[in-house]
């Protein structure tokens, strides 16, 4: 792990506007799953989430936890196994089916009447419900409010031009007393077009600061061999905790 004191921040990468017009279509995301280009998936789960799990859960029982752009995140089963209720949203039906298959969970599926073409996949135990649809359509389904949101690979995957709309949807899903964990990345955006997109500390505060207290829990150098193909030599992950103001 690199020296966190030497961690890069927005002033090191002044050209933060270079990605602002980048757009990936939902079809392109679905193709990533079909082509198995899912380097963002972490088979062992997220290490910083493991480290801060007690901080996130605060010892509370039977929480509702939301996973935006959930993919087949193994952490969904972590929370369910601890007695919490998990709701996720994902555009790739393949990703959702792989989650249930890889976690050896039986499930049912049914259409979501409020959203044409959308489906909901529910574990037989009833405590994991995954919606297959566009995240921005999800509020039409009246999915309720959440005690916890785990935002990893979500804000950083949303097209930069959609971030304000995204943050508004996320905040609309929070319940009083919520805790919201956010993971973002910092790297030279002139060398890699994203996703994941570069999100600055200033952007996080602009999107969430009016409603949330924002605490930076940790910054970690997460550079791996695969990142060399992006043309970068350093990538920093920052974990934030949002709480209600």
């Amino acid at each position: 792990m690199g020296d966190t004191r030497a961690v890069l921040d927005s002033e090191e990468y002044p050209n933060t506007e270079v990605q602002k017009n980048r757009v990936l279509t939902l079809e392109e995301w679905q193709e990533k799953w079909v082509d198995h280009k899912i380097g963002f998936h972490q088979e062992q789960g997220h290490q910083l989430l493991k480290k801060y799990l007690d901080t996130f859960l605060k010892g509370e029982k039977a929480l509702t936890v939301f996973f935006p752009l959930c993919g087949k995140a193994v952490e969904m089963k972590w929370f369910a196994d601890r007695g919490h209720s998990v709701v996720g949203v994902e555009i790739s039906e393949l990703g959702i089916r792989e989650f249930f298959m890889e976690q050896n969970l039986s499930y049912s599926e049914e259409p979501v009447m409020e959203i044409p073409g959308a489906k909901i996949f529910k574990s037989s135990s009833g405590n994991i419900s995954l919606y297959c649809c566009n995240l921005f359509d999800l509020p039409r389904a009246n999915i309720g409010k959440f005690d916890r949101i785990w935002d990893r690979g979500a804000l950083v995957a949303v097209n930069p031009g959609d971030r304000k709309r995204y943050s508004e949807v996320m905040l609309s899903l929070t319940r009083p007393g919520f805790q919201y964990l956010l993971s973002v990345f910092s790297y030279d955006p002139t060398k890699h077009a994203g996703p994941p997109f570069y999100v600055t500390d200033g952007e996080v505060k602009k999107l969430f600061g009016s409603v949330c207290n924002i605490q930076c829990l940790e910054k970690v150098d997460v550079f791996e061999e695969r990142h060399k193909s992006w043309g970068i030599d350093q990538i920093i992950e920052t974990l934030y905790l949002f709480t209600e103001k």
Side-chain angles (χ1 to χ4, degrees):
M1 188 186 297
D3 178 4
T4 54
R5 292 286 157 258
V7 154
L8 305 177
D9 209 345
S10 53
E11 54 266 21
E12 294 246 1
Y13 297 130
N15 194 359
T16 57
E17 295 288 289
V18 70
Q19 294 177 338
K20 73 175 184 178
N21 295 320
R22 279 277 287 150
V23 173
L24 258 74
T25 65
L26 297 178
E27 290 73 24
E28 286 175 289
W29 280 109
Q30 289 169 317
E31 285 168 13
K32 286 179 183 291
W33 282 94
V34 171
D35 298 338
H36 211 69
K37 293 179 178 176
I38 53 170
F40 49 81
H41 176 66
Q42 296 181 323
E43 290 185 5
Q44 304 305 314
H46 194 276
Q47 297 308 304
L48 283 180
L49 178 61
K50 285 183 182 176
K51 180 174 179 179
Y52 290 99
L53 196 58
D54 290 344
T55 301
F56 188 44
L57 295 177
K58 290 172 47 182
E60 295 180 37
K61 308 293 186 189
L63 295 167
T64 54
V65 185
F66 183 59
F67 278 67
L69 311 190
C70 60
K72 56 178 181 179
V74 300
E75 300 94 327
M76 292 191 287
K77 190 163 186 296
W78 294 0
F79 287 110
D81 286 347
R82 285 168 171 78
H84 305 297
S85 295
V86 172
V87 174
V89 61
E90 169 58 48
I91 194 60
S92 171
E93 184 172 320
L94 178 60
I96 290 175
R97 291 187 187 279
E98 286 184 5
F99 168 75
F100 286 109
M101 183 180 69
E102 292 171 11
Q103 300 300 327
N104 295 310
L105 295 172
S106 58
Y107 64 94
S108 62
E109 60 180 278
E110 57 189 66
V112 179
M113 294 307 174
E114 300 91 340
I115 306 171
K119 295 180 182 178
I120 181 171
F121 295 76
K122 293 182 181 178
S123 63
S124 298
S125 60
N127 59 352
I128 301 177
S129 299
L130 305 184
Y131 287 81
C132 185
C133 65
N134 184 336
L135 178 139
F136 293 116
D137 289 334
L138 194 61
R140 288 155 55 188
N142 297 317
I143 62 170
K145 308 277 189 181
F146 296 91
D147 302 302
R148 301 290 186 270
I149 296 179
W150 170 226
D151 188 329
R152 182 258 159 190
L155 177 63
V156 297
V158 169
N159 293 326
D162 289 331
R163 284 178 187 160
K164 186 173 189 302
R165 186 161 61 126
Y166 172 87
S167 66
E168 289 169 352
V169 170
M170 290 299 101
L171 292 170
S172 77
L173 296 175
T174 56
R175 188 175 276 170
F178 71 86
Q179 300 240 90
Y180 185 136
L181 269 185
L182 169 69
S183 161
V184 298
F185 293 111
S186 171
Y187 59 84
D188 187 343
T190 64
K191 294 181 177 177
H192 178 58
F197 298 111
Y198 172 34
V199 181
T200 67
D201 184 69
E203 178 91 348
V204 169
K205 288 172 179 168
K206 184 172 79 173
L207 292 171
F208 296 98
S210 64
V211 175
C212 304
N213 297 308
I214 298 175
Q215 179 185 0
C216 175
L217 294 179
E218 191 161 342
K219 296 192 177 197
V220 181
D221 187 340
V222 291
F223 185 82
E224 298 175 358
E225 190 69 22
R226 68 186 180 94
H227 293 127
K228 287 183 179 177
S229 66
W230 297 7
I232 62 174
D233 55 16
Q234 189 169 27
I235 179 168
I236 303 300
E237 181 174 21
T238 303
L239 186 70
Y240 293 95
L241 175 65
F242 304 158
T243 54
E244 189 177 20
K245 271 193 172 176

